[in-house]
Amino acid sequence: MPDARAALDRLLAAADDGRLDELCERLGVRVLAAFGSAASGEGDPNDLDIAVGFLGSPRVLELLDGLVALAGYDRIDLAILDGADPVLRSEALTGTPLFQHAPGVFATEQMAALAERRDTEWLRRLDVEAMR
């Protein structure tokens, strides 16, 4: 069975040769990134975590099918960034960038996610206190 890190290497190769860009442009992807243990190199990953933001209507199943074909690996876990909580968005966007529909989009979304996580930290602490 292929492993998650090898699958990420195949996606990075597809990004380098334009195949991933072609898929993302066709499906209206705004930003795509790998995150989690396969991207960080820590631990023994059992899947490949991929974050995606769309420009319009999400075409999730088509994207997943395309990623599986490019990676040669079917244990891909997609995290949809649109409407996701700040913790997930900040974790995902500090991973490995794979695609951005225009220059600077990844960095802009990354900074916004990190700022929102920082700005809402006090709310998460309040929730924890309320549950105690």
Side-chain angles (χ1 to χ4, degrees):
M1 171 191 247
D3 75 11
R5 288 195 181 97
L8 177 55
D9 288 342
R10 286 190 290 280
L11 284 181
L12 289 166
D16 286 343
D17 68 22
R19 292 176 294 146
L20 185 59
D21 290 0
E22 181 181 303
L23 174 70
C24 289
E25 288 168 5
R26 181 170 51 83
L27 297 179
V29 171
R30 184 180 69 251
V31 65
L32 190 77
F35 69 105
S37 55
S40 71
E42 297 174 9
D44 188 21
N46 59 2
D47 65 1
L48 178 56
D49 297 310
I50 301 289
V52 61
F54 290 95
L55 291 166
S57 297
R59 295 170 69 182
V60 176
L61 293 179
E62 291 173 87
L63 177 63
L64 187 56
D65 285 344
L67 292 173
V68 165
L70 290 173
Y73 186 73
D74 65 357
R75 297 185 73 179
I76 295 176
D77 187 13
L78 275 182
I80 310 302
L81 296 173
D82 308 310
D85 69 71
V87 174
L88 173 60
R89 285 193 4 254
S90 66
E91 291 295 320
L93 291 170
T94 54
T96 303
L98 296 171
F99 174 82
Q100 58 182 345
H101 85 95
V105 169
F106 189 88
T108 300
E109 292 204 19
Q110 182 183 58
M111 288 184 293
L114 291 168
E116 185 179 4
R117 181 178 182 166
R118 181 198 64 225
D119 292 347
T120 59
E121 179 65 33
W122 69 276
L123 292 170
R124 286 185 293 285
R125 282 196 309 270
L126 265 175
D127 284 343
V128 169
E129 288 299 318
M131 288 190 291
R132 287 183 192 182

